[in-house]
Amino acid sequence: QVQLVESGGGLVEAGGSLRLSCVASGNFFILTTMGWYRQPPGKQRELVAYMTSDDTTNYADSVKGRFTISRDVSKNAVYLQMNSLKPEDTALYYCNGDWVRLGRPGSSWGQGTQVTVSS
């Protein structure tokens, strides 16, 4: 299996910035699409951004122009730079990675990292 571990969440004032990191570990795998999702309090999980293996990106309308997803293939890592944060960005942020391991596709989730934006 492939494990994902997020880091970088925290408490920040509105207008501030945070950078989330997600690192994948395991054996004999290749990451394909990696993305970030979030689950605000009392709401369903929603897509924030994703990046495919050819570096195509897609963002939720609510974060376009403020968040940037990037990846470091050599480190099996994906990042989410979040600028101009708003209180409505408060959520538990999850990393998701699609992968191929020994010829079989799969998908993994991280445990989540909390982002809280104060007004």
Side-chain angles (χ1 to χ4, degrees):
Q1 288 295 332
V2 178
Q3 294 81 40
L4 303 180
V5 178
E6 304 103 333
S7 61
L11 173 64
V12 64
E13 292 184 350
S17 298
L18 283 174
R19 185 178 187 243
L20 305 183
S21 300
C22 172
V23 179
S25 63
N27 295 315
F28 312 117
F29 70 95
I30 298 173
L31 290 166
T32 56
T33 297
M34 295 194 76
W36 289 94
Y37 291 73
R38 67 186 182 186
Q39 187 165 13
K43 296 184 179 180
Q44 292 187 332
R45 192 175 300 188
E46 61 186 17
L47 173 68
V48 176
Y50 69 79
M51 175 178 274
T52 65
S53 56
D54 64 356
D55 293 341
T56 299
T57 59
N58 188 55
Y59 295 90
D61 288 342
S62 59
V63 307
K64 283 181 180 177
R66 300 188 297 122
F67 291 10
T68 303
I69 189 170
S70 61
R71 63 192 296 175
D72 186 333
V73 175
S74 67
K75 296 181 179 179
N76 287 324
V78 66
Y79 308 98
L80 187 68
Q81 178 66 43
M82 305 185 294
N83 298 329
S84 302
L85 283 161
K86 304 175 181 180
E88 51 263 44
D89 294 318
T90 294
L92 189 59
Y93 282 71
Y94 295 91
C95 174
N96 173 261
D98 294 335
W99 43 264
V100 178
R101 182 177 180 273
L102 301 175
R104 293 187 173 186
S107 184
S108 297
W109 290 91
Q111 81 287 353
T113 185
Q114 179 67 39
V115 172
T116 302
V117 184
S118 63
S119 57

